[in-house]
Amino acid sequence: MNKRRPYVRPMEGWWRKNPYFIEYMVHEGTALFVAAYALVLLIGVVRLAQGEAAWKAWLTALQSPLSVFAHLILLLAIGYHSYTWFKIMPRTLPPLSLGGKRVPGGAITATGLIAVALASLALLALAWRIST
Amino acid sequence: MNRPLKRSNAPIFWGLFGAGGMLAALLGPMLIFITGIAVPLGLLLPRSAMNYAAMLAFARHPLGKGFIFIVIALFLWHAAHRLFHSLHDIGIHGGTLAKLLTYGLAAAGTVIAAGALLATGF
Amino acid sequence: MTEQIIRMEVMRYRPEQDEAPWLQSFDVPYSDDMSVLQGLNYIKDELDESLSFRWSCRMAICGSCGMMVDGVPKLACKTFLRDYPGTVRVEALHHFPIERDLVVVLDDFMEKLERIQPYIIPRQEQALSEGEYLQTPTQLERYAQFSSCINCLLCYAACPQYGLDSSFLGPGAIALLHRYNMDSRDGASEQRMELVAAEEGVFHCTAVGYCSEVCPKHVDPANAVNLNKTRAAGDYFLRFAKPKGRCQ
């Protein structure tokens, strides 16, 4: 008789058992906030299409303290998404060399974060120019 | 693993996930700051920055229209793909309901955004 | 060197008598230069000869002694008892079925390893009289990192996606597949693409990245997997634009 009886361990709760996996679940979880913000914008576009009164009501809703607080949370969550997105980037890009030397991962992440800063400034400048 | 290999259709969804993730990483924080904090509070930008006439003009301009559509659609598809995988991660494996709640909602949102943007006129 | 005592909690599973794995504690005297593997050998020699575990080279090159040390995938020979003051928990590698004690079933990986065709398939067979297949240092550089893999499977124990669905080809096999694809002497990346782009292929990966963290040989399997996502996506969208068959 075959005495082999390989034991397969369950995966339940795997993400709670290692700090690395907890961080992974947190940065994956930022997707909920990205979806929430997309929904805010979607409602805005629908209200815009419905005419001036509807748009003004949406703007008023955005000015409520609750909305501003919610946007602060969104800002934190999506800011964390930006950071983690570029933190993983060295693992997703082909090896880059500069002057015959391999570009270290930290430099790739830093370049990404600088790109975030530049894109943010450009967007703010654009909004400022349109509105004044 | 000896079943015949079937080509995965993931590249479509993975591509949208990647494009949306990149866009959200680059522009997400500042967009939220502008529309949700700065303009509502009149901080750095005037409260009138998002008045009806200005926003209608923005949504009617081809570039503005494209920008709004791409931001909403790609953010939704990015989130949908990530959340679909997160459901799998916590033990809810790729059923029809999981697909409807993620990719289905993203598709619905995309259609609604397109409809609203068409309705704002040109 | 003074001798100290460490409590080693070792996973036991004897299929003929145990329903499920359990932890057995042993008090092991150790010195600063002792590895976890030496601790296990002490247990087997002095305390309980029935303990089963795999090992061979004692120098991080055979890849036999992968196990979970305090929940982290490690080579037992390259991990030192002095770094775990008081107690250390030693378990069988995660995500693999347990055969007995610390020994896991490797059949699934062996099958996957075979499927990636882990050998050079020359673009054009060269007659012996034509000499060696030459390669420049730059060409070597493109795959050298990935050729350091010793098949120890720590990356599989670090990969939740493999744990959740073992149909996934997995980090180690994909890193090796990439190693051959990147070799200038190899011409079979098209053949391997079928596996890369399949449902069992690279798209199971959600870029957790822990595989690359735990690799004892500093291979970056996460990079191999994610580069092949890009390649597979390119193949997916451009496959109709590419000519079929080979030029004669």
Side-chain angles (χ1 to χ4, degrees), chain C residues 6-228:
Chain C
I6 187 168
R7 169 149 297 191
M8 293 184 74
E9 298 176 349
V10 183
M11 181 180 272
R12 299 304 306 267
Y13 174 65
R14 298 156 301 176
E16 65 283 357
Q17 59 190 111
D18 296 331
E19 260 320 298
W22 54 286
L23 290 176
Q24 186 174 6
S25 291
F26 299 97
D27 288 330
V28 176
Y30 75 103
S31 50
D32 271 358
D33 58 353
M34 265 175 77
S35 64
V36 171
L37 178 62
Q38 281 173 292
L40 292 172
N41 272 322
Y42 178 89
I43 294 171
K44 191 166 176 72
D45 292 344
E46 309 291 337
L47 306 174
D48 187 341
E49 62 187 16
S50 72
L51 180 65
S52 298
F53 52 98
R54 285 197 181 99
W55 65 284
S56 175
C57 78
R58 293 162 287 128
M59 48 195 273
I61 198 62
C62 75
S64 309
C65 67
M67 43 193 84
M68 307 303 291
V69 180
D70 270 6
V72 175
K74 295 271 189 190
L75 290 181
C77 68
K78 202 174 176 264
T79 307
F80 289 86
L81 291 171
R82 60 170 184 257
D83 295 326
Y84 301 85
T87 315
V88 64
R89 195 173 76 251
V90 184
E91 296 161 289
L93 268 187
H94 276 171
H95 307 155
F96 291 98
I98 305 174
E99 186 77 60
R100 167 183 293 275
D101 298 340
L102 301 171
V103 176
V104 294
V105 182
L106 300 176
D107 302 7
D108 181 56
F109 175 73
M110 293 307 169
E111 211 179 292
K112 283 170 174 158
L113 190 57
E114 221 176 298
R115 293 201 82 179
I116 61 155
Q117 300 180 282
Y119 33 82
I120 289 168
I121 304 173
R123 212 172 291 275
Q124 226 161 14
E125 204 72 56
Q126 213 165 283
L128 214 54
S129 58
E130 291 174 73
E132 310 88 333
Y133 293 93
L134 295 177
Q135 194 164 57
T136 65
T138 318
Q139 288 171 326
L140 170 73
E141 187 67 33
R142 293 183 69 206
Y143 71 82
Q145 181 230 125
F146 300 105
S147 69
S148 303
C149 174
I150 56 171
N151 302 351
C152 67
L153 306 186
L154 298 196
C155 55
Y156 281 81
C159 176
Q161 298 309 336
Y162 179 73
L164 289 163
D165 183 352
S166 65
S167 72
F168 176 32
L169 194 50
I174 294 171
L176 277 165
L177 177 150
H178 192 63
R179 175 252 173 275
Y180 289 97
N181 277 354
M182 287 291 108
D183 193 314
S184 58
R185 299 163 295 182
D186 181 274
S189 61
E190 293 282 320
Q191 282 177 48
R192 298 189 187 101
M193 178 54 84
E194 198 193 349
L195 193 55
V196 167
E199 291 189 336
E200 296 87 343
V202 289
F203 289 107
H204 268 273
C205 167
T206 53
V208 180
Y210 197 43
C211 53
S212 299
E213 292 291 318
V214 303
C215 178
K217 307 306 280 186
H218 305 292
V219 180
D220 191 350
N223 189 233
V225 176
N226 283 284
L227 292 179
N228 279 289

Side-chain angles (χ1 to χ4, degrees), chain B residues 1-3 5-12 14 85 88-89 93, chain C residues 111-112 115 161 164 197-200 203 206 229 233 235-236 239:
Chain B
M1 255 195 72
N2 282 325
R3 288 170 289 146
L5 293 172
K6 204 171 144 236
R7 186 188 274 274
S8 165
N9 286 314
I12 298 170
W14 177 75
H85 279 282
H88 173 72
D89 287 346
H93 303 305
Chain C
E111 211 179 292
K112 283 170 174 158
R115 293 201 82 179
Q161 298 309 336
L164 289 163
E199 291 189 336
E200 296 87 343
F203 289 107
T206 53
K229 280 184 198 168
D235 187 69
Y236 185 89
R239 72 197 133 132

